[in-house]
Amino acid sequence: MHDVTISLQALVAASMFFVWVVRYDNIVQEFKQYSLPDWLRDSVGILKLTFSLMLLIGIERVQFAIAGGVGIAALMGCALVVHLRVRNPPLKMLPGLTLLVISTAIAWINFRVLKG
């Protein structure tokens, strides 16, 4: 189970990096489309990249994986609310929902490991 959790942590971290660094122009467009301010976009990006780094650190230090998983899950929950508010089709919500579920699982599994 530990190998699966490590793989999920790496997958989520890589996904966040790809979306918020490589495809940043798409993020800028989406936030404009949703009429959200630039400061919010930048704050969300900083938080997502920070939580992603925590997931990677969490491979060795479980507490970081828990915090990173909870943080990303919370942000994905907020993203789903925004998608619902702007009435996006379900397919557009699928990546956020998937990351929410995976991040919650990462936090839960690592919490169980921490508690023994």
Side-chain angles (χ1 to χ4, degrees):
M1 182 59 104
H2 185 64
D3 290 340
V4 173
T5 307
I6 289 172
S7 298
L8 291 175
Q9 287 170 227
L11 174 71
V12 171
S15 298
M16 289 294 150
F17 178 81
F18 182 76
V19 170
W20 282 89
V21 175
V22 176
R23 298 192 65 206
Y24 185 70
D25 292 339
N26 289 351
I27 296 296
V28 171
Q29 278 183 327
E30 281 188 15
F31 272 71
K32 283 183 183 176
Q33 177 187 354
Y34 303 153
S35 299
L36 297 171
D38 293 346
W39 66 264
L40 180 61
R41 178 197 64 225
D42 294 340
S43 298
V44 168
I46 289 167
L47 286 172
K48 284 188 178 182
L49 293 174
T50 300
F51 290 138
S52 296
L53 181 59
M54 292 173 83
L55 288 177
L56 295 177
I57 294 169
I59 292 170
E60 291 294 322
R61 300 181 185 266
V62 175
Q63 299 90 335
F64 283 90
I66 296 167
V70 168
I72 291 176
L75 290 171
M76 291 297 105
C78 293
L80 286 173
V81 169
V82 171
H83 283 294
L84 289 169
R85 195 184 91 211
V86 299
R87 301 180 198 274
N88 274 337
L91 192 58
K92 191 138 180 162
M93 295 181 218
L94 189 57
L97 179 60
T98 302
L99 287 168
L100 169 65
V101 170
I102 293 171
S103 297
T104 302
I106 288 168
W108 176 252
I109 292 166
N110 279 290
F111 179 75
R112 301 279 312 259
V113 167
L114 183 66
K115 292 299 174 187

